[in-house]
PDB file of all heavy atoms in Angstrom:
ATOM      1  N   LEU A   1       9.443  94.419  -7.608  1.00  0.00           N
ATOM      2  CA  LEU A   1      10.121  95.653  -7.209  1.00  0.00           C
ATOM      3  C   LEU A   1      10.191  95.790  -5.698  1.00  0.00           C
ATOM      4  O   LEU A   1      11.214  96.219  -5.145  1.00  0.00           O
ATOM      5  CB  LEU A   1       9.416  96.864  -7.821  1.00  0.00           C
ATOM      6  CG  LEU A   1       9.622  97.074  -9.318  1.00  0.00           C
ATOM      7  CD1 LEU A   1       8.776  98.249  -9.795  1.00  0.00           C
ATOM      8  CD2 LEU A   1      11.081  97.307  -9.639  1.00  0.00           C
ATOM      9  N   ILE A   2       9.126  95.420  -5.015  1.00  0.00           N
ATOM     10  CA  ILE A   2       9.117  95.489  -3.549  1.00  0.00           C
ATOM     11  C   ILE A   2      10.158  94.533  -2.979  1.00  0.00           C
ATOM     12  O   ILE A   2      10.901  94.883  -2.057  1.00  0.00           O
ATOM     13  CB  ILE A   2       7.705  95.186  -3.004  1.00  0.00           C
ATOM     14  CG1 ILE A   2       6.767  96.358  -3.325  1.00  0.00           C
ATOM     15  CG2 ILE A   2       7.731  94.927  -1.508  1.00  0.00           C
ATOM     16  CD1 ILE A   2       5.314  96.086  -3.037  1.00  0.00           C
ATOM     17  N   LYS A   3      10.250  93.319  -3.556  1.00  0.00           N
ATOM     18  CA  LYS A   3      11.251  92.364  -3.070  1.00  0.00           C
ATOM     19  C   LYS A   3      12.661  92.876  -3.309  1.00  0.00           C
ATOM     20  O   LYS A   3      13.534  92.759  -2.444  1.00  0.00           O
ATOM     21  CB  LYS A   3      11.063  91.015  -3.762  1.00  0.00           C
ATOM     22  CG  LYS A   3       9.856  90.255  -3.271  1.00  0.00           C
ATOM     23  CD  LYS A   3       9.725  88.913  -3.972  1.00  0.00           C
ATOM     24  CE  LYS A   3       8.499  88.175  -3.491  1.00  0.00           C
ATOM     25  NZ  LYS A   3       8.327  86.884  -4.195  1.00  0.00           N
ATOM     26  N   VAL A   4      12.905  93.479  -4.471  1.00  0.00           N
ATOM     27  CA  VAL A   4      14.227  94.024  -4.772  1.00  0.00           C
ATOM     28  C   VAL A   4      14.568  95.159  -3.810  1.00  0.00           C
ATOM     29  O   VAL A   4      15.679  95.237  -3.281  1.00  0.00           O
ATOM     30  CB  VAL A   4      14.293  94.505  -6.241  1.00  0.00           C
ATOM     31  CG1 VAL A   4      15.526  95.348  -6.489  1.00  0.00           C
ATOM     32  CG2 VAL A   4      14.268  93.314  -7.189  1.00  0.00           C
ATOM     33  N   LEU A   5      13.602  96.044  -3.554  1.00  0.00           N
ATOM     34  CA  LEU A   5      13.849  97.145  -2.621  1.00  0.00           C
ATOM     35  C   LEU A   5      14.113  96.633  -1.218  1.00  0.00           C
ATOM     36  O   LEU A   5      14.988  97.158  -0.510  1.00  0.00           O
ATOM     37  CB  LEU A   5      12.663  98.111  -2.622  1.00  0.00           C
ATOM     38  CG  LEU A   5      12.538  98.998  -3.861  1.00  0.00           C
ATOM     39  CD1 LEU A   5      11.258  99.819  -3.783  1.00  0.00           C
ATOM     40  CD2 LEU A   5      13.727  99.922  -3.984  1.00  0.00           C
ATOM     41  N   LEU A   6      13.365  95.595  -0.790  1.00  0.00           N
ATOM     42  CA  LEU A   6      13.602  95.048   0.544  1.00  0.00           C
ATOM     43  C   LEU A   6      14.997  94.441   0.641  1.00  0.00           C
ATOM     44  O   LEU A   6      15.679  94.589   1.655  1.00  0.00           O
ATOM     45  CB  LEU A   6      12.535  93.993   0.877  1.00  0.00           C
ATOM     46  CG  LEU A   6      11.150  94.536   1.212  1.00  0.00           C
ATOM     47  CD1 LEU A   6      10.173  93.397   1.418  1.00  0.00           C
ATOM     48  CD2 LEU A   6      11.205  95.398   2.458  1.00  0.00           C
ATOM     49  N   VAL A   7      15.435  93.761  -0.411  1.00  0.00           N
ATOM     50  CA  VAL A   7      16.782  93.186  -0.392  1.00  0.00           C
ATOM     51  C   VAL A   7      17.818  94.297  -0.316  1.00  0.00           C
ATOM     52  O   VAL A   7      18.786  94.208   0.433  1.00  0.00           O
ATOM     53  CB  VAL A   7      16.998  92.296  -1.643  1.00  0.00           C
ATOM     54  CG1 VAL A   7      18.454  91.948  -1.819  1.00  0.00           C
ATOM     55  CG2 VAL A   7      16.163  91.035  -1.531  1.00  0.00           C
ATOM     56  N   ARG A   8      17.606  95.367  -1.078  1.00  0.00           N
ATOM     57  CA  ARG A   8      18.573  96.478  -1.042  1.00  0.00           C
ATOM     58  C   ARG A   8      18.579  97.145   0.324  1.00  0.00           C
ATOM     59  O   ARG A   8      19.632  97.516   0.830  1.00  0.00           O
ATOM     60  CB  ARG A   8      18.260  97.485  -2.137  1.00  0.00           C
ATOM     61  CG  ARG A   8      18.617  96.945  -3.483  1.00  0.00           C
ATOM     62  CD  ARG A   8      18.662  97.996  -4.511  1.00  0.00           C
ATOM     63  NE  ARG A   8      19.072  97.400  -5.783  1.00  0.00           N
ATOM     64  CZ  ARG A   8      19.019  97.998  -6.927  1.00  0.00           C
ATOM     65  NH1 ARG A   8      18.591  99.232  -6.992  1.00  0.00           N
ATOM     66  NH2 ARG A   8      19.396  97.399  -8.024  1.00  0.00           N
ATOM     67  N   VAL A   9      17.409  97.315   0.923  1.00  0.00           N
ATOM     68  CA  VAL A   9      17.347  97.932   2.252  1.00  0.00           C
ATOM     69  C   VAL A   9      18.052  97.039   3.267  1.00  0.00           C
ATOM     70  O   VAL A   9      18.721  97.526   4.171  1.00  0.00           O
ATOM     71  CB  VAL A   9      15.872  98.205   2.645  1.00  0.00           C
ATOM     72  CG1 VAL A   9      15.736  98.537   4.105  1.00  0.00           C
ATOM     73  CG2 VAL A   9      15.316  99.325   1.795  1.00  0.00           C
ATOM     74  N   LYS A  10      17.918  95.724   3.104  1.00  0.00           N
ATOM     75  CA  LYS A  10      18.602  94.812   4.023  1.00  0.00           C
ATOM     76  C   LYS A  10      20.103  94.797   3.769  1.00  0.00           C
ATOM     77  O   LYS A  10      20.886  94.550   4.682  1.00  0.00           O
ATOM     78  CB  LYS A  10      18.042  93.397   3.871  1.00  0.00           C
ATOM     79  CG  LYS A  10      16.647  93.232   4.432  1.00  0.00           C
ATOM     80  CD  LYS A  10      16.127  91.825   4.214  1.00  0.00           C
ATOM     81  CE  LYS A  10      14.702  91.692   4.691  1.00  0.00           C
ATOM     82  NZ  LYS A  10      14.144  90.360   4.398  1.00  0.00           N
ATOM     83  N   LEU A  11      20.532  95.048   2.536  1.00  0.00           N
ATOM     84  CA  LEU A  11      21.958  95.020   2.213  1.00  0.00           C
ATOM     85  C   LEU A  11      22.699  96.244   2.731  1.00  0.00           C
ATOM     86  O   LEU A  11      23.879  96.161   3.056  1.00  0.00           O
ATOM     87  CB  LEU A  11      22.157  94.928   0.698  1.00  0.00           C
ATOM     88  CG  LEU A  11      21.979  93.560   0.067  1.00  0.00           C
ATOM     89  CD1 LEU A  11      22.148  93.666  -1.433  1.00  0.00           C
ATOM     90  CD2 LEU A  11      22.961  92.563   0.626  1.00  0.00           C
ATOM     91  N   ILE A  12      22.014  97.381   2.823  1.00  0.00           N
ATOM     92  CA  ILE A  12      22.686  98.623   3.228  1.00  0.00           C
ATOM     93  C   ILE A  12      23.319  98.500   4.619  1.00  0.00           C
ATOM     94  O   ILE A  12      24.498  98.821   4.782  1.00  0.00           O
ATOM     95  CB  ILE A  12      21.725  99.824   3.122  1.00  0.00           C
ATOM     96  CG1 ILE A  12      21.465 100.125   1.643  1.00  0.00           C
ATOM     97  CG2 ILE A  12      22.283 101.051   3.823  1.00  0.00           C
ATOM     98  CD1 ILE A  12      20.383 101.157   1.413  1.00  0.00           C
ATOM     99  N   PRO A  13      22.601  98.015   5.650  1.00  0.00           N
ATOM    100  CA  PRO A  13      23.272  97.869   6.948  1.00  0.00           C
ATOM    101  C   PRO A  13      24.423  96.873   6.916  1.00  0.00           C
ATOM    102  O   PRO A  13      25.459  97.083   7.557  1.00  0.00           O
ATOM    103  CB  PRO A  13      22.158  97.378   7.877  1.00  0.00           C
ATOM    104  CG  PRO A  13      20.900  97.759   7.228  1.00  0.00           C
ATOM    105  CD  PRO A  13      21.165  97.756   5.762  1.00  0.00           C
ATOM    106  N   ASP A  14      24.246  95.784   6.155  1.00  0.00           N
ATOM    107  CA  ASP A  14      25.343  94.815   6.045  1.00  0.00           C
ATOM    108  C   ASP A  14      26.569  95.445   5.409  1.00  0.00           C
ATOM    109  O   ASP A  14      27.702  95.201   5.837  1.00  0.00           O
ATOM    110  CB  ASP A  14      24.902  93.599   5.224  1.00  0.00           C
ATOM    111  CG  ASP A  14      23.827  92.787   5.930  1.00  0.00           C
ATOM    112  OD1 ASP A  14      23.722  92.917   7.166  1.00  0.00           O
ATOM    113  OD2 ASP A  14      23.095  92.049   5.243  1.00  0.00           O
ATOM    114  N   LEU A  15      26.369  96.256   4.380  1.00  0.00           N
ATOM    115  CA  LEU A  15      27.491  96.930   3.739  1.00  0.00           C
ATOM    116  C   LEU A  15      28.146  97.931   4.685  1.00  0.00           C
ATOM    117  O   LEU A  15      29.374  98.060   4.708  1.00  0.00           O
ATOM    118  CB  LEU A  15      27.028  97.623   2.458  1.00  0.00           C
ATOM    119  CG  LEU A  15      26.670  96.701   1.291  1.00  0.00           C
ATOM    120  CD1 LEU A  15      26.085  97.517   0.149  1.00  0.00           C
ATOM    121  CD2 LEU A  15      27.877  95.935   0.824  1.00  0.00           C
ATOM    122  N   LEU A  16      27.336  98.637   5.467  1.00  0.00           N
ATOM    123  CA  LEU A  16      27.897  99.586   6.433  1.00  0.00           C
ATOM    124  C   LEU A  16      28.729  98.869   7.486  1.00  0.00           C
ATOM    125  O   LEU A  16      29.820  99.316   7.850  1.00  0.00           O
ATOM    126  CB  LEU A  16      26.779 100.395   7.092  1.00  0.00           C
ATOM    127  CG  LEU A  16      26.090 101.429   6.206  1.00  0.00           C
ATOM    128  CD1 LEU A  16      24.921 102.056   6.933  1.00  0.00           C
ATOM    129  CD2 LEU A  16      27.069 102.495   5.768  1.00  0.00           C
ATOM    130  N   ILE A  17      28.219  97.736   7.974  1.00  0.00           N
ATOM    131  CA  ILE A  17      28.953  96.974   8.988  1.00  0.00           C
ATOM    132  C   ILE A  17      30.245  96.429   8.391  1.00  0.00           C
ATOM    133  O   ILE A  17      31.311  96.469   9.025  1.00  0.00           O
ATOM    134  CB  ILE A  17      28.067  95.844   9.548  1.00  0.00           C
ATOM    135  CG1 ILE A  17      26.926  96.454  10.387  1.00  0.00           C
ATOM    136  CG2 ILE A  17      28.871  94.868  10.384  1.00  0.00           C
ATOM    137  CD1 ILE A  17      25.869  95.468  10.796  1.00  0.00           C
ATOM    138  N   ALA A  18      30.177  95.930   7.152  1.00  0.00           N
ATOM    139  CA  ALA A  18      31.383  95.417   6.509  1.00  0.00           C
ATOM    140  C   ALA A  18      32.404  96.536   6.295  1.00  0.00           C
ATOM    141  O   ALA A  18      33.605  96.336   6.526  1.00  0.00           O
ATOM    142  CB  ALA A  18      31.028  94.768   5.174  1.00  0.00           C
ATOM    143  N   GLY A  19      31.947  97.717   5.875  1.00  0.00           N
ATOM    144  CA  GLY A  19      32.854  98.849   5.701  1.00  0.00           C
ATOM    145  C   GLY A  19      33.488  99.268   7.012  1.00  0.00           C
ATOM    146  O   GLY A  19      34.679  99.584   7.070  1.00  0.00           O
ATOM    147  N   ARG A  20      32.702  99.253   8.082  1.00  0.00           N
ATOM    148  CA  ARG A  20      33.234  99.593   9.399  1.00  0.00           C
ATOM    149  C   ARG A  20      34.281  98.573   9.830  1.00  0.00           C
ATOM    150  O   ARG A  20      35.342  98.929  10.364  1.00  0.00           O
ATOM    151  CB  ARG A  20      32.099  99.645  10.423  1.00  0.00           C
ATOM    152  CG  ARG A  20      32.542 100.026  11.820  1.00  0.00           C
ATOM    153  CD  ARG A  20      31.381  99.916  12.773  1.00  0.00           C
ATOM    154  NE  ARG A  20      30.869  98.562  12.781  1.00  0.00           N
ATOM    155  CZ  ARG A  20      31.018  97.719  13.809  1.00  0.00           C
ATOM    156  NH1 ARG A  20      31.626  98.103  14.891  1.00  0.00           N
ATOM    157  NH2 ARG A  20      30.553  96.497  13.757  1.00  0.00           N
ATOM    158  N   ASN A  21      34.012  97.296   9.582  1.00  0.00           N
ATOM    159  CA  ASN A  21      34.986  96.256   9.949  1.00  0.00           C
ATOM    160  C   ASN A  21      36.280  96.403   9.165  1.00  0.00           C
ATOM    161  O   ASN A  21      37.370  96.215   9.714  1.00  0.00           O
ATOM    162  CB  ASN A  21      34.379  94.870   9.726  1.00  0.00           C
ATOM    163  CG  ASN A  21      33.305  94.558  10.736  1.00  0.00           C
ATOM    164  OD1 ASN A  21      33.256  95.162  11.801  1.00  0.00           O
ATOM    165  ND2 ASN A  21      32.435  93.634  10.409  1.00  0.00           N
ATOM    166  N   VAL A  22      36.176  96.735   7.882  1.00  0.00           N
ATOM    167  CA  VAL A  22      37.378  96.947   7.072  1.00  0.00           C
ATOM    168  C   VAL A  22      38.172  98.125   7.620  1.00  0.00           C
ATOM    169  O   VAL A  22      39.398  98.073   7.743  1.00  0.00           O
ATOM    170  CB  VAL A  22      37.000  97.182   5.589  1.00  0.00           C
ATOM    171  CG1 VAL A  22      38.170  97.712   4.800  1.00  0.00           C
ATOM    172  CG2 VAL A  22      36.488  95.893   4.967  1.00  0.00           C
ATOM    173  N   LEU A  23      37.474  99.197   7.979  1.00  0.00           N
ATOM    174  CA  LEU A  23      38.154 100.366   8.523  1.00  0.00           C
ATOM    175  C   LEU A  23      38.841 100.040   9.842  1.00  0.00           C
ATOM    176  O   LEU A  23      40.001 100.430  10.064  1.00  0.00           O
ATOM    177  CB  LEU A  23      37.137 101.500   8.710  1.00  0.00           C
ATOM    178  CG  LEU A  23      37.698 102.871   9.034  1.00  0.00           C
ATOM    179  CD1 LEU A  23      38.542 103.374   7.876  1.00  0.00           C
ATOM    180  CD2 LEU A  23      36.577 103.844   9.309  1.00  0.00           C
ATOM    181  N   LEU A  24      38.154  99.298  10.714  1.00  0.00           N
ATOM    182  CA  LEU A  24      38.776  98.912  11.990  1.00  0.00           C
ATOM    183  C   LEU A  24      39.991  98.022  11.770  1.00  0.00           C
ATOM    184  O   LEU A  24      41.013  98.173  12.453  1.00  0.00           O
ATOM    185  CB  LEU A  24      37.748  98.199  12.875  1.00  0.00           C
ATOM    186  CG  LEU A  24      36.653  99.087  13.470  1.00  0.00           C
ATOM    187  CD1 LEU A  24      35.653  98.242  14.229  1.00  0.00           C
ATOM    188  CD2 LEU A  24      37.247 100.138  14.379  1.00  0.00           C
ATOM    189  N   ASN A  25      39.888  97.105  10.800  1.00  0.00           N
ATOM    190  CA  ASN A  25      41.044  96.246  10.517  1.00  0.00           C
ATOM    191  C   ASN A  25      42.212  97.057   9.994  1.00  0.00           C
ATOM    192  O   ASN A  25      43.369  96.780  10.328  1.00  0.00           O
ATOM    193  CB  ASN A  25      40.658  95.153   9.509  1.00  0.00           C
ATOM    194  CG  ASN A  25      39.841  94.059  10.156  1.00  0.00           C
ATOM    195  OD1 ASN A  25      39.910  93.857  11.353  1.00  0.00           O
ATOM    196  ND2 ASN A  25      39.055  93.364   9.358  1.00  0.00           N
ATOM    197  N   ARG A  26      41.933  98.069   9.174  1.00  0.00           N
ATOM    198  CA  ARG A  26      43.025  98.914   8.686  1.00  0.00           C
ATOM    199  C   ARG A  26      43.684  99.671   9.826  1.00  0.00           C
ATOM    200  O   ARG A  26      44.902  99.810   9.869  1.00  0.00           O
ATOM    201  CB  ARG A  26      42.517  99.881   7.616  1.00  0.00           C
ATOM    202  CG  ARG A  26      42.257  99.186   6.322  1.00  0.00           C
ATOM    203  CD  ARG A  26      42.055 100.138   5.212  1.00  0.00           C
ATOM    204  NE  ARG A  26      41.860  99.407   3.970  1.00  0.00           N
ATOM    205  CZ  ARG A  26      41.467  99.940   2.859  1.00  0.00           C
ATOM    206  NH1 ARG A  26      41.212 101.223   2.799  1.00  0.00           N
ATOM    207  NH2 ARG A  26      41.305  99.208   1.781  1.00  0.00           N
ATOM    208  N   PHE A  27      42.871 100.191  10.764  1.00  0.00           N
ATOM    209  CA  PHE A  27      43.445 100.870  11.914  1.00  0.00           C
ATOM    210  C   PHE A  27      44.313  99.913  12.729  1.00  0.00           C
ATOM    211  O   PHE A  27      45.389 100.283  13.205  1.00  0.00           O
ATOM    212  CB  PHE A  27      42.364 101.470  12.806  1.00  0.00           C
ATOM    213  CG  PHE A  27      41.763 102.734  12.253  1.00  0.00           C
ATOM    214  CD1 PHE A  27      40.404 102.980  12.383  1.00  0.00           C
ATOM    215  CD2 PHE A  27      42.535 103.678  11.610  1.00  0.00           C
ATOM    216  CE1 PHE A  27      39.847 104.150  11.881  1.00  0.00           C
ATOM    217  CE2 PHE A  27      41.993 104.841  11.107  1.00  0.00           C
ATOM    218  CZ  PHE A  27      40.640 105.073  11.248  1.00  0.00           C
ATOM    219  N   LYS A  28      43.836  98.671  12.904  1.00  0.00           N
ATOM    220  CA  LYS A  28      44.620  97.687  13.654  1.00  0.00           C
ATOM    221  C   LYS A  28      45.928  97.382  12.940  1.00  0.00           C
ATOM    222  O   LYS A  28      46.983  97.260  13.575  1.00  0.00           O
ATOM    223  CB  LYS A  28      43.815  96.401  13.835  1.00  0.00           C
ATOM    224  CG  LYS A  28      42.688  96.517  14.825  1.00  0.00           C
ATOM    225  CD  LYS A  28      41.916  95.215  14.933  1.00  0.00           C
ATOM    226  CE  LYS A  28      40.714  95.358  15.855  1.00  0.00           C
ATOM    227  NZ  LYS A  28      39.918  94.121  15.891  1.00  0.00           N
ATOM    228  N   ILE A  29      45.865  97.252  11.610  1.00  0.00           N
ATOM    229  CA  ILE A  29      47.085  96.969  10.843  1.00  0.00           C
ATOM    230  C   ILE A  29      48.058  98.135  10.954  1.00  0.00           C
ATOM    231  O   ILE A  29      49.264  97.930  11.169  1.00  0.00           O
ATOM    232  CB  ILE A  29      46.730  96.680   9.368  1.00  0.00           C
ATOM    233  CG1 ILE A  29      46.033  95.331   9.255  1.00  0.00           C
ATOM    234  CG2 ILE A  29      47.967  96.709   8.495  1.00  0.00           C
ATOM    235  CD1 ILE A  29      45.460  95.051   7.887  1.00  0.00           C
ATOM    236  N   ILE A  30      47.552  99.365  10.836  1.00  0.00           N
ATOM    237  CA  ILE A  30      48.430 100.535  10.950  1.00  0.00           C
ATOM    238  C   ILE A  30      49.054 100.592  12.337  1.00  0.00           C
ATOM    239  O   ILE A  30      50.258 100.845  12.491  1.00  0.00           O
ATOM    240  CB  ILE A  30      47.641 101.826  10.631  1.00  0.00           C
ATOM    241  CG1 ILE A  30      47.310 101.872   9.133  1.00  0.00           C
ATOM    242  CG2 ILE A  30      48.421 103.060  11.030  1.00  0.00           C
ATOM    243  CD1 ILE A  30      46.347 102.977   8.755  1.00  0.00           C
ATOM    244  N   GLY A  31      48.249 100.323  13.369  1.00  0.00           N
ATOM    245  CA  GLY A  31      48.785 100.319  14.735  1.00  0.00           C
ATOM    246  C   GLY A  31      49.846  99.258  14.933  1.00  0.00           C
ATOM    247  O   GLY A  31      50.904  99.514  15.528  1.00  0.00           O
ATOM    248  N   SER A  32      49.586  98.056  14.411  1.00  0.00           N
ATOM    249  CA  SER A  32      50.583  96.990  14.577  1.00  0.00           C
ATOM    250  C   SER A  32      51.844  97.292  13.776  1.00  0.00           C
ATOM    251  O   SER A  32      52.960  96.972  14.215  1.00  0.00           O
ATOM    252  CB  SER A  32      49.994  95.643  14.163  1.00  0.00           C
ATOM    253  OG  SER A  32      49.654  95.644  12.802  1.00  0.00           O
ATOM    254  N   LEU A  33      51.695  97.917  12.602  1.00  0.00           N
ATOM    255  CA  LEU A  33      52.887  98.298  11.830  1.00  0.00           C
ATOM    256  C   LEU A  33      53.694  99.355  12.566  1.00  0.00           C
ATOM    257  O   LEU A  33      54.936  99.307  12.558  1.00  0.00           O
ATOM    258  CB  LEU A  33      52.488  98.803  10.441  1.00  0.00           C
ATOM    259  CG  LEU A  33      52.025  97.742   9.440  1.00  0.00           C
ATOM    260  CD1 LEU A  33      51.536  98.420   8.171  1.00  0.00           C
ATOM    261  CD2 LEU A  33      53.143  96.779   9.136  1.00  0.00           C
ATOM    262  N   LEU A  34      53.007 100.311  13.213  1.00  0.00           N
ATOM    263  CA  LEU A  34      53.733 101.313  13.993  1.00  0.00           C
ATOM    264  C   LEU A  34      54.478 100.677  15.156  1.00  0.00           C
ATOM    265  O   LEU A  34      55.640 101.007  15.435  1.00  0.00           O
ATOM    266  CB  LEU A  34      52.762 102.387  14.500  1.00  0.00           C
ATOM    267  CG  LEU A  34      52.264 103.384  13.463  1.00  0.00           C
ATOM    268  CD1 LEU A  34      51.205 104.288  14.079  1.00  0.00           C
ATOM    269  CD2 LEU A  34      53.408 104.222  12.937  1.00  0.00           C
ATOM    270  N   ILE A  35      53.810  99.742  15.824  1.00  0.00           N
ATOM    271  CA  ILE A  35      54.462  99.067  16.949  1.00  0.00           C
ATOM    272  C   ILE A  35      55.659  98.259  16.458  1.00  0.00           C
ATOM    273  O   ILE A  35      56.732  98.269  17.075  1.00  0.00           O
ATOM    274  CB  ILE A  35      53.440  98.176  17.693  1.00  0.00           C
ATOM    275  CG1 ILE A  35      52.422  99.071  18.416  1.00  0.00           C
ATOM    276  CG2 ILE A  35      54.128  97.246  18.679  1.00  0.00           C
ATOM    277  CD1 ILE A  35      51.246  98.330  18.996  1.00  0.00           C
ATOM    278  N   GLU A  36      55.499  97.575  15.318  1.00  0.00           N
ATOM    279  CA  GLU A  36      56.624  96.813  14.769  1.00  0.00           C
ATOM    280  C   GLU A  36      57.772  97.732  14.362  1.00  0.00           C
ATOM    281  O   GLU A  36      58.944  97.407  14.566  1.00  0.00           O
ATOM    282  CB  GLU A  36      56.169  95.971  13.569  1.00  0.00           C
ATOM    283  CG  GLU A  36      55.325  94.784  13.945  1.00  0.00           C
ATOM    284  CD  GLU A  36      56.041  93.830  14.873  1.00  0.00           C
ATOM    285  OE1 GLU A  36      57.232  93.561  14.642  1.00  0.00           O
ATOM    286  OE2 GLU A  36      55.404  93.368  15.826  1.00  0.00           O
ATOM    287  N   GLY A  37      57.429  98.889  13.799  1.00  0.00           N
ATOM    288  CA  GLY A  37      58.470  99.851  13.435  1.00  0.00           C
ATOM    289  C   GLY A  37      59.223 100.343  14.654  1.00  0.00           C
ATOM    290  O   GLY A  37      60.456 100.462  14.630  1.00  0.00           O
ATOM    291  N   ILE A  38      58.497 100.622  15.732  1.00  0.00           N
ATOM    292  CA  ILE A  38      59.148 101.055  16.973  1.00  0.00           C
ATOM    293  C   ILE A  38      60.023  99.938  17.522  1.00  0.00           C
ATOM    294  O   ILE A  38      61.159 100.173  17.974  1.00  0.00           O
ATOM    295  CB  ILE A  38      58.088 101.498  18.006  1.00  0.00           C
ATOM    296  CG1 ILE A  38      57.423 102.800  17.538  1.00  0.00           C
ATOM    297  CG2 ILE A  38      58.694 101.664  19.385  1.00  0.00           C
ATOM    298  CD1 ILE A  38      56.209 103.195  18.338  1.00  0.00           C
ATOM    299  N   ASN A  39      59.532  98.690  17.458  1.00  0.00           N
ATOM    300  CA  ASN A  39      60.333  97.556  17.946  1.00  0.00           C
ATOM    301  C   ASN A  39      61.604  97.383  17.127  1.00  0.00           C
ATOM    302  O   ASN A  39      62.676  97.125  17.685  1.00  0.00           O
ATOM    303  CB  ASN A  39      59.503  96.267  17.911  1.00  0.00           C
ATOM    304  CG  ASN A  39      58.444  96.257  19.004  1.00  0.00           C
ATOM    305  OD1 ASN A  39      58.548  96.971  19.987  1.00  0.00           O
ATOM    306  ND2 ASN A  39      57.424  95.444  18.812  1.00  0.00           N
ATOM    307  N   VAL A  40      61.492  97.517  15.819  1.00  0.00           N
ATOM    308  CA  VAL A  40      62.684  97.409  14.964  1.00  0.00           C
ATOM    309  C   VAL A  40      63.667  98.518  15.308  1.00  0.00           C
ATOM    310  O   VAL A  40      64.880  98.288  15.395  1.00  0.00           O
ATOM    311  CB  VAL A  40      62.277  97.454  13.467  1.00  0.00           C
ATOM    312  CG1 VAL A  40      63.493  97.664  12.568  1.00  0.00           C
ATOM    313  CG2 VAL A  40      61.547  96.185  13.076  1.00  0.00           C
ATOM    314  N   PHE A  41      63.169  99.730  15.510  1.00  0.00           N
ATOM    315  CA  PHE A  41      64.033 100.857  15.876  1.00  0.00           C
ATOM    316  C   PHE A  41      64.738 100.598  17.197  1.00  0.00           C
ATOM    317  O   PHE A  41      65.950 100.832  17.333  1.00  0.00           O
ATOM    318  CB  PHE A  41      63.187 102.131  15.934  1.00  0.00           C
ATOM    319  CG  PHE A  41      63.966 103.363  16.207  1.00  0.00           C
ATOM    320  CD1 PHE A  41      64.857 103.863  15.269  1.00  0.00           C
ATOM    321  CD2 PHE A  41      63.821 104.040  17.406  1.00  0.00           C
ATOM    322  CE1 PHE A  41      65.583 105.007  15.513  1.00  0.00           C
ATOM    323  CE2 PHE A  41      64.546 105.181  17.669  1.00  0.00           C
ATOM    324  CZ  PHE A  41      65.415 105.673  16.724  1.00  0.00           C
ATOM    325  N   LEU A  42      63.975 100.071  18.182  1.00  0.00           N
ATOM    326  CA  LEU A  42      64.592  99.771  19.477  1.00  0.00           C
ATOM    327  C   LEU A  42      65.631  98.654  19.371  1.00  0.00           C
ATOM    328  O   LEU A  42      66.689  98.708  20.004  1.00  0.00           O
ATOM    329  CB  LEU A  42      63.517  99.385  20.498  1.00  0.00           C
ATOM    330  CG  LEU A  42      62.592 100.526  20.939  1.00  0.00           C
ATOM    331  CD1 LEU A  42      61.506  99.988  21.850  1.00  0.00           C
ATOM    332  CD2 LEU A  42      63.384 101.607  21.642  1.00  0.00           C
ATOM    333  N   VAL A  43      65.356  97.667  18.551  1.00  0.00           N
ATOM    334  CA  VAL A  43      66.331  96.587  18.355  1.00  0.00           C
ATOM    335  C   VAL A  43      67.598  97.134  17.703  1.00  0.00           C
ATOM    336  O   VAL A  43      68.716  96.760  18.083  1.00  0.00           O
ATOM    337  CB  VAL A  43      65.707  95.453  17.504  1.00  0.00           C
ATOM    338  CG1 VAL A  43      66.763  94.479  17.012  1.00  0.00           C
ATOM    339  CG2 VAL A  43      64.653  94.724  18.321  1.00  0.00           C
ATOM    340  N   ARG A  44      67.451  98.035  16.741  1.00  0.00           N
ATOM    341  CA  ARG A  44      68.633  98.626  16.105  1.00  0.00           C
ATOM    342  C   ARG A  44      69.429  99.461  17.093  1.00  0.00           C
ATOM    343  O   ARG A  44      70.667  99.441  17.089  1.00  0.00           O
ATOM    344  CB  ARG A  44      68.220  99.470  14.893  1.00  0.00           C
ATOM    345  CG  ARG A  44      67.817  98.608  13.730  1.00  0.00           C
ATOM    346  CD  ARG A  44      67.629  99.400  12.490  1.00  0.00           C
ATOM    347  NE  ARG A  44      67.277  98.520  11.386  1.00  0.00           N
ATOM    348  CZ  ARG A  44      66.877  98.922  10.223  1.00  0.00           C
ATOM    349  NH1 ARG A  44      66.752 100.214   9.979  1.00  0.00           N
ATOM    350  NH2 ARG A  44      66.576  98.069   9.276  1.00  0.00           N
TER     351      ARG A  44
END
């Protein structure tokens, strides 16, 4: 039980970091899509 709890405690920060990275990637994708949309509008 102690080993399982230690693994779970170690997994929580990794999961938080992974969730943060996913969120940052989504923001980057949204930003790049907005920039591409503006570029398409300017080209039109």
